[in-house]
Amino acid sequence: MTGKTLYDKLWDAHVVRREEDGTALLYIDRHLVHEVTSPQAFEGLRLAGRKPWRTDTVVAVPDHNVPTKDRDQGVADPVARTQLETLQENVNTFGITFFPMGDVRQGIVHVIGPEQGATLPGMTVVCGDSHTSTHGAFGALSMGIGTSEVEHVLATQCLLQKKMKNMRVSVDGHVGPGVTAKDIVLAIIGRIGTAGGTGCAIEFAGEAIRDLSMEGRMTVCNMAIEAGARAGMVAVDDTTIEYVKDRPFAPKGEDWERAVAAWRELQSDADAVFDHEVHIDAADIVPQVTWGTSPEMVVPVTDRVPDPAAAGDPVKARGMERALEYMGLQAGMPVTDIRLDKVFIGSCTNARLEDLRAAARVVEGRRVAEHIKLAMVVPGSGLVKQQAEREGLDRIFRDAGFEWRDPGCSMCLAMNADRLEPGERCASTSNRNFEGRQGLGGRTHLVSPAMAAAAAVAGHFVDVRTL
Amino acid sequence: MMERFDKLNAVVMPLDRSNVDTDAIIPKQYLKSVKRTGFGPTLFDDWRYLDPGEPGMDHGQRRVNPDFVLNDPRYQGARILLARKNFGCGSSREHAVWALTDYGFRVVIAPSFADIFFGNSFKNGLLPVVLDEAIVDRLFEEVQAHPGYTLTVDLEAQVVTTPSGESFPFEVEPFRRHCLLNGLDDIGLTLQHADEIRAYEARRRAEAPWLFDAGPRA
């Protein structure tokens, strides 16, 4: 018998029953809820006269719609306000743990789950948000779900699922200075494509992944979905356990000892077989910049914007031409010639303390370029913000000309007031460069926090390693 | 309750782009709604209209983009969307499926779908059909060559049939097919196994008690 992968182990530990065709009822340990994808699910429960199965697994927080400044004035947008009030009503009605705006623990759902220790190794974690893959960094099976599934999990504590395939992406060796988790994951997506992991759970492995902090591993797993994989994960090691220890929701005392012993098993066996294996040499990775309207449209900062004529496949070439037109770029131009209008440092991909520190190191003693209309830092949570302020990072950013905001999803998806105007070009530490993602007609380039900070200072992309 | 699906003959609308993401299917500003309905008029909003849209607008008064396929008179009444690979990638927003069904689509045919969108579709009576890329290429040629082109999609028989009688079989997971054919509420089905869920919980609680004491601890 061959060994099991990490995903096999997590799957097997959570199967409640199997249908004849292999569809399984999978038990869910943690259900994270935000305001956008939950109202219809709670309404569905009410209409059917059903009660939530186990409310103690649910943690709710507003993040997508919340304003990132002038919070004392409330939420100006009446439609957003209704949605936020609906979440408040639902958590009150059903007795759900809730971190409202104004609570220092409020923040982006994928930042606060791990921060609170609500995400633990070995758990199944779901949320009505595709970036739930983030939590896999803890050796958890975590997946984004739709609203019908949110309702299903609320009502039954289970998810109906078919097992995915096993894929392992190994990043071998060590990255050079100035190359971050974001560059690693963008390079992976550039290699395997935006559908490269469709139907798979991806385990990220190799020395370069082991070298990463938990923040870095979260950045990598966060973008598994941009490679098409609903779940990304990293095996448990000392880095994982150190991070989890003493967090508010983490087990304590004897439970802690038992839990750690169990978590140590959360590794793929040496003889486990994967359906797909990809190897990437860490030493080859340089800071990445996306040039197009899909995360797979990415190149090293040292490179040029690619030419559709070289694509081969006509459907792909048309897609590239459309992307170049939308982005207002010329094939063959150096990436460092791309001039920016706005800079956004934030999102569930890159708004943790380590990200803000990396950006601040680049910014310190420098100024945002004259023509940059807005450079903003949106911390991932109130606690991240508080700690950053203790370290004086807010001062560094403000002195350089950045705005320092309150936590939320903000301009990653521009549901609140933070957005690009048509034609504006943004260096963004978020996860999606889709057409209109950051505002109708807006042009998004995905980069690491250090690269975004460097771009803010230079006014155009620049290789952060040369600063 | 979910609308059941068995067989449909309908006009096909071709959307000739790969990696159509859920932000394109329904832009973020409409996600502030707390309802499941009313998303049809803003399906593909950024491509479909020339002016910016906001929730609560009368979308009938907006300037339509005559070059976008959804506004082409020959595809009016289409209930089958023909798409390229990786359709529905990106966000998990089920609003994308609600927008397609609210507009009137019951089937999307593509060489591949993103996982979350694929699952969301079945929960809402929208059938995603995967056909080989070469077949999809041919269907694009046929639909563009023949105004009023229709296809018949038969879920019971798992086959797509062209007007000339050519047919292409497709795969569907038996459980999903069963639920869609019968319009079954899968929460109701799952709750039939409540005892098994409780038995699992009892077993699991003994193995991993920390998972059952989930609140913040002092």
Side-chain angles (χ1 to χ4, degrees):
Chain A
M1 215 177 103
T2 54
K4 285 181 173 184
T5 67
L6 170 58
Y7 172 56
D8 294 338
K9 291 180 186 183
L10 292 167
W11 174 268
D12 290 349
H14 290 89
V15 172
V16 172
R17 66 172 267 124
R18 278 187 186 84
E19 301 295 333
E20 269 175 33
D21 73 345
T23 305
L25 262 189
L26 204 64
Y27 192 81
I28 301 304
D29 298 315
R30 176 65 69 200
H31 188 180
L32 302 169
V33 165
H34 63 85
E35 76 276 24
V36 176
T37 56
S38 65
Q40 298 88 349
F42 284 111
E43 185 196 44
L45 279 190
R46 259 191 226 100
L47 289 175
R50 289 176 176 135
K51 288 193 164 50
W53 184 276
R54 230 190 105 190
T55 48
D56 65 328
T57 65
V58 187
V59 174
V61 70
D63 58 2
H64 283 60
N65 260 323
V66 297
T68 58
K69 62 175 182 182
D70 305 327
R71 284 199 172 164
D72 50 339
Q73 290 165 35
V75 181
D77 176 351
V79 193
R81 193 165 63 233
T82 299
Q83 194 167 55
L84 290 161
E85 287 167 358
T86 304
L87 181 64
Q88 177 79 62
E89 284 162 24
N90 285 325
V91 300
N92 290 347
T93 305
F94 293 104
I96 287 167
T97 304
F98 184 53
F99 302 136
M101 253 202 316
D103 187 315
V104 72
R105 297 168 297 179
Q106 181 269 334
I108 305 171
V109 66
H110 307 308
V111 174
I112 68 139
E115 189 173 73
Q116 291 298 317
T119 301
L120 294 173
M123 273 184 164
T124 42
V125 180
V126 297
C127 175
D129 189 284
S130 60
H131 292 110
T132 309
S133 58
T134 309
H135 309 263
F138 290 82
L141 174 56
S142 64
M143 287 167 294
I145 58 178
T147 298
S148 294
E149 289 176 315
V150 170
E151 185 180 341
H152 192 279
V153 174
L154 284 171
T156 71
Q157 209 53 45
C158 294
L159 196 59
L160 274 164
Q161 262 224 332
K162 264 225 150 150
K163 197 172 172 196
M164 298 180 272
K165 288 194 164 143
N166 277 292
M167 180 172 189
R168 179 162 59 189
V169 177
S170 303
V171 187
D172 305 316
H174 306 282
V175 294
V179 178
T180 68
K182 183 64 162 287
D183 303 304
I184 292 174
V185 72
L186 284 171
I188 291 169
I189 296 163
R191 166 81 79 83
I192 70 176
T194 188
T198 301
C200 301
I202 300 181
E203 180 176 344
F204 297 100
E207 287 132 320
I209 302 293
R210 294 256 76 84
D211 287 348
L212 294 172
S213 66
M214 287 315 295
E215 283 90 340
R217 294 177 192 183
M218 284 189 256
T219 299
V220 171
C221 289
N222 172 276
M223 291 191 71
I225 186 66
E226 310 316 330
R230 204 169 178 181
M233 59 191 75
V234 175
V236 171
D237 61 10
D238 290 341
T239 305
T240 325
I241 289 165
E242 277 308 305
Y243 181 99
V244 172
K245 195 172 187 338
D246 297 328
R247 301 230 165 225
F249 285 64
K252 304 283 187 299
E254 201 183 310
D255 261 0
W256 170 256
E257 300 302 329
R258 273 184 79 179
V260 168
W263 295 343
R264 295 274 181 202
E265 304 297 315
L266 296 172
Q267 321 265 345
S268 289
D269 295 332
D271 57 344
V273 178
F274 288 81
D275 300 292
H276 305 285
E277 288 254 26
V278 175
H279 284 271
I280 291 182
D281 193 343
D284 292 344
I285 303 174
V286 299
Q288 304 277 305
V289 180
T290 65
W291 59 267
T293 53
S294 164
E296 71 182 11
M297 294 172 165
V298 64
V299 287
V301 64
T302 48
D303 220 330
R304 288 167 183 273
V305 173
D307 188 349
D313 167 15
V315 174
K316 188 173 179 192
R318 275 207 305 282
M320 289 173 71
E321 280 161 15
R322 193 179 291 124
L324 286 177
E325 195 191 331
Y326 181 86
M327 294 297 290
L329 297 175
Q330 301 300 318
M333 72 186 283
V335 170
T336 47
D337 282 359
I338 300 174
R339 201 176 139 94
L340 298 151
D341 302 304
K342 287 184 176 170
V343 175
F344 171 61
I345 297 175
S347 88
C348 58
T349 313
N350 280 130
R352 298 180 181 83
L353 196 56
E354 176 181 289
D355 301 315
L356 305 193
R357 284 178 183 153
R361 271 198 298 278
V362 173
V363 164
E364 190 159 20
R366 296 186 167 110
R367 287 282 310 166
V368 170
E370 205 58 33
H371 70 271
I372 298 286
K373 296 178 204 164
L374 171 70
M376 64 194 296
V377 182
V378 183
S381 72
L383 287 167
V384 167
K385 186 177 189 202
Q386 190 178 64
Q387 181 58 29
E389 288 174 355
R390 280 189 192 128
E391 296 179 15
L393 305 186
D394 59 321
R395 181 58 41 212
I396 293 173
F397 285 119
R398 282 191 164 123
D399 286 350
F402 277 85
E403 292 192 15
W404 178 250
R405 298 288 189 91
D406 288 320
C409 300
S410 180
M411 209 160 70
C412 173
L413 87 167
M415 270 190 84
N416 69 355
D418 310 336
R419 63 183 68 170
L420 300 181
E421 297 303 320
E424 281 184 344
R425 188 182 296 287
C426 182
S428 179
T429 66
S430 56
N431 39 57
R432 290 192 173 130
N433 51 352
F434 298 158
E435 285 184 24
R437 171 82 178 179
Q438 293 192 295
L440 181 69
R443 294 160 169 167
T444 304
H445 297 272
L446 305 176
V447 287
S448 74
M451 284 286 288
V457 168
H460 56 83
F461 286 114
V462 56
D463 186 343
V464 68
R465 299 172 304 174
T466 63
L467 278 186
Chain B
M1 279 315 93
M2 185 170 78
E3 199 177 339
R4 53 192 297 279
F5 184 98
D6 46 15
K7 191 172 176 177
L8 173 74
N9 175 264
V11 171
V12 180
M13 188 187 103
L15 182 61
D16 193 5
R17 300 184 182 209
S18 308
N19 300 322
V20 170
D21 59 73
T22 54
D23 276 79
I25 299 173
I26 184 82
K28 81 280 287 172
Q29 62 269 35
Y30 303 111
L31 273 49
K32 293 173 197 168
S33 167
V34 295
K35 302 196 173 75
R36 281 176 190 259
T37 52
F39 297 101
T42 53
L43 171 68
F44 298 123
D45 198 85
D46 289 0
W47 294 340
R48 176 177 178 181
Y49 299 105
L50 294 169
D51 49 6
E54 286 298 331
M57 270 183 157
D58 177 358
H59 301 286
Q61 300 301 310
R62 293 173 61 194
R63 284 191 299 133
V64 300
N65 174 6
D67 297 332
F68 185 56
V69 66
L70 200 79
N71 297 321
D72 187 333
R74 85 184 244 187
Y75 301 118
Q76 294 317 296
R79 306 198 74 194
I80 299 172
L81 183 66
L82 182 65
R84 295 288 185 186
K85 64 185 174 190
N86 200 29
F87 187 83
C89 61
S91 149
S92 66
R93 57 186 73 166
E94 199 157 313
H95 314 66
V97 175
W98 300 334
L100 287 162
T101 55
D102 197 53
Y103 181 83
F105 288 112
R106 295 300 310 278
V107 176
V108 184
I109 299 173
S112 60
F113 292 89
D115 290 343
I116 303 178
F117 176 87
F118 190 76
N120 286 345
S121 299
F122 283 98
K123 310 274 185 187
N124 293 280
L126 179 71
L127 175 64
V129 173
V130 178
L131 292 178
D132 268 359
E133 197 155 11
I135 297 170
V136 170
D137 283 347
R138 271 193 43 208
L139 293 177
F140 265 98
E141 285 167 20
E142 292 194 15
V143 72
Q144 279 153 357
H146 305 287
Y149 187 85
T150 65
L151 286 170
T152 302
V153 179
D154 186 339
L155 178 58
E156 181 81 52
Q158 294 183 218
V159 69
V160 175
T161 309
T162 69
S164 63
E166 203 177 355
S167 59
F168 306 107
F170 62 89
E171 298 286 322
V172 198
E173 287 168 22
F175 182 77
R176 283 177 157 155
R177 174 171 169 272
H178 172 73
C179 290
L180 197 47
L181 281 172
N182 298 290
L184 295 179
D185 161 18
D186 59 10
I187 295 178
L189 287 180
T190 297
L191 287 174
Q192 289 174 11
H193 307 298
D195 289 347
E196 282 171 82
I197 301 171
R198 286 194 197 93
Y200 170 89
E201 285 178 326
R203 206 163 65 235
R204 190 72 174 149
R205 188 188 287 272
E207 273 168 27
W210 60 88
L211 294 174
F212 291 83
D213 177 20
R217 275 156 269 222

